[in-house]
Amino acid sequence: MSLSTLARLAGVGKATLSGLEHGTRNPTLETLWAVTAQLGVPFTALLAEPTAGPTAHGTAVTATLLEVFSDTDATYELYRMRVAPGPVQLSPAHQPGVTEHVTVFAGVLRAGPVDAPLTASAGGHLRWVSDVPHTYAAVGDEEVAASLLLRYPRR
C-alpha cells in the first residue's frame, strides 16, 4: 500500500505518515488507531516492544499497554486506561470484527459507537463492536479509571 493510499484511507495527512515513518513525528492515539485499522493489524503491531508497557495519549484517554496475548482465533491487547473529565475522545473505526471490553473501576464512563454510546459506573462493564467510529468521555468531574481489552479476530 502506498503512503498516499494509507493517508487517504486513514484520514491522516501524508506528511504526518511520512514523519511517523521517519521517526520525526509524535503520533496521537487517534492517529495510530486510524493507521492500524487501515492496515488490518492490532495497535501493538506498530510498537517495537509490545511488552515494554508503552503509554499512548489521546484527546481524553491515556492508555498503558499491560499485555498482548493470542489464541487461535484472536489477538488481545489489555490496557490500563484513564479518561480525563472534560474532552470527548473520538476514536476511528477499527478493522471489521474488533470488539472492545471496558471494565470501570472509578468514575462514570460514556463510551461506544458514536450513534449509540453506553454508560457504566464503577464496577460496570461495557462491550461493543468497534469497527465503527466510537467515543470515550468521563461523565461529571471525576477521572475514569478502567481496563480496556481489545479483541482483534484473526483474518
Side-chain angles (χ1 to χ4, degrees):
M1 178 182 302
S2 73
L3 190 66
S4 296
T5 300
L6 179 58
R8 182 176 41 78
L9 292 173
V12 175
K14 187 175 173 183
T16 297
L17 285 182
S18 179
L20 295 177
E21 184 176 42
H22 292 96
T24 60
R25 299 287 298 256
N26 193 11
T28 64
L29 190 57
E30 294 91 343
T31 298
L32 291 177
W33 267 322
V35 170
T36 58
Q38 293 309 312
L39 293 174
V41 298
F43 175 75
T44 53
L46 297 181
L47 305 176
E49 297 180 35
T51 59
T55 298
H57 303 277
T59 304
V61 173
T62 300
T64 302
L65 180 65
L66 300 175
E67 186 173 354
V68 177
F69 51 98
S70 297
D71 62 24
T72 56
D73 298 327
T75 297
Y76 301 86
E77 297 173 350
L78 178 61
Y79 295 89
R80 177 176 44 246
M81 181 173 70
R82 300 253 181 219
V83 182
V88 174
Q89 178 153 335
L90 176 62
S91 292
H94 297 288
Q95 58 265 36
V98 173
T99 55
E100 296 194 25
H101 308 260
V102 178
T103 302
V104 178
F105 301 112
V108 179
L109 178 68
R110 181 172 295 120
V114 169
D115 60 348
L118 308 163
T119 303
S121 56
H125 177 261
L126 304 174
R127 176 190 183 279
W128 67 91
V129 177
S130 55
D131 56 7
V132 296
H134 46 287
T135 63
Y136 300 88
V139 177
D141 295 331
E142 184 180 354
E143 180 181 74
V144 173
S147 66
L148 168 63
L149 180 71
L150 281 101
R151 180 184 185 278
Y152 296 89
R154 295 209 190 275
R155 292 181 157 189

